[in-house]
Amino acid sequence: MPVTGTTSLLPTCTVASHEQHLTFLSLCRQFKHEDIGGARVLGAHFYGPYFAYEARGAHPAAGIRPPVPAEYEQYLAFADAIVTATVAPELPGAEAFVRACRAKGVRCTTGHSHATFEQMEAAVKWGVQHIDHIFCAMSDRARLRQSQTYPMRGGVLEATLYFDELTTEIIADGKHLQRELLLLAYKCKGPDRLALVSDCNRALDMPDGPYLIGPQDGGEPMIKADGVGLMPNGIALASSVVGQDHCVRTFHRLTGVPLEVVVRMASLTPARIAGVDHDLGSIAVGKRRRLARA
């Protein structure tokens, strides 16, 4: 919403049923062409259900499934209203899904994945361009080591830092990641390939207490407390509860990166990642002005 610094956005779904995803995409198509009185809807981020079960994080477990053409072809009927789609590359059918998305002009991202470095290398060749919330719900050498002997191998984290072709994003709410991880991501990817993301759930600007991740019927319980979303055990994180303005201030305060650069990471960089930087993300001749909305 504009009050938190967001003037345009990609509504993002969670793991849900097939029918719920179709409803979500239908609404995104509708809102893309309407003035909804707040931030402008650019199109959907199709996020879930194509996650690795072990890397699902706070998302509902029941609806996680691999991509199959009979299902995702119905989603891609809404390709005009989908900007990005997430898939874990290790899932059966992931390559076909990525190629089908790219053929329809949908940009592909990887998230909630325990893929190996080799699987990520293949995914880049398929057309994956972006990695969701670096350091969170992804494989790295340590996680993969738990199920392997030797030699050690890298995962999604190492591939994200290695491949220049990949952009990524970071949750800068001050709760998910400490200063050194913000600095590491910034050093490796730079401000043009690292965007700020709130990863905020429905508890934004709401009082502390119980909420749901995902659908109202069948969602995963979470708790808002201590300025972050938590799983019911009070230990594991369950996404953020703050807006983008908070993330800009927090990243600047913790890292010392100049404020004008941090603002670019919250504006022009995500616009470029979404492929809308010709129209949004900076003040320039010919670009769309910010509309004055309540």
Side-chain angles (χ1 to χ4, degrees), residues 5 18 33 46 66 82-83 132 140 146 148 213 261 278 289:
H18 178 60
H33 300 290
F46 186 74
I82 305 175
V83 178
D132 300 325
D140 57 20
Q146 295 173 8
Q148 297 171 356
I213 295 284
V261 177
H278 63 284
R289 69 182 179 90

Side-chain angles (χ1 to χ4, degrees), residues 68-262:
V68 294
E71 180 178 77
Y72 65 69
E73 286 172 2
Q74 295 182 57
Y75 301 148
L76 291 178
F78 294 91
D80 60 301
I82 305 175
V83 178
T84 52
T86 292
V87 65
E90 68 269 33
L91 295 180
E95 179 179 358
F97 175 68
V98 171
R99 294 191 184 279
C101 285
R102 300 303 295 133
K104 293 282 189 177
V106 174
R107 295 171 176 242
C108 284
T109 77
T110 282
H112 291 269
S113 167
H114 279 177
T116 64
F117 189 99
E118 291 86 353
Q119 289 168 327
M120 280 305 308
E121 186 174 21
V124 171
K125 294 177 181 177
W126 306 340
V128 168
Q129 299 171 290
H130 182 77
I131 305 297
D132 300 325
H133 46 50
I134 189 171
F135 299 113
C136 299
M138 65 174 56
S139 55
D140 57 20
R141 179 201 59 80
R143 284 188 178 90
L144 292 175
R145 179 66 171 169
Q146 295 173 8
S147 60
Q148 297 171 356
T149 54
Y150 57 84
M152 293 184 185
R153 65 197 314 181
V156 177
L157 173 59
E158 289 82 5
T160 304
L161 297 176
Y162 177 79
F163 287 105
D164 291 340
E165 304 97 305
L166 291 174
T167 56
T168 189
E169 61 199 32
I170 201 157
I171 304 172
D173 63 346
K175 300 292 183 178
H176 277 72
L177 304 171
Q178 289 190 328
R179 171 179 175 271
E180 60 266 25
L181 296 182
L182 303 180
L183 287 169
L184 174 61
Y186 181 80
K187 181 176 182 178
C188 291
K189 304 307 291 186
D192 295 323
R193 290 180 294 160
L194 179 68
L196 300 189
V197 63
S198 69
D199 197 55
C200 185
N201 61 44
R202 57 168 54 98
L204 173 68
D205 289 339
M206 299 296 287
D208 285 359
Y211 295 90
L212 288 174
I213 295 284
Q216 295 287 0
D217 55 331
E220 191 74 22
M222 59 150 284
I223 301 168
K224 178 181 179 180
D226 191 31
V228 73
L230 296 169
M231 295 297 287
N233 63 13
I235 300 174
L237 295 179
S239 78
S240 162
V241 295
V242 300
Q244 189 75 314
D245 56 339
H246 178 97
C247 295
V248 168
R249 291 192 298 269
T250 302
F251 191 92
H252 172 60
R253 174 175 57 83
L254 292 177
T255 66
V257 172
L259 183 58
E260 65 271 19
V261 177
V262 182

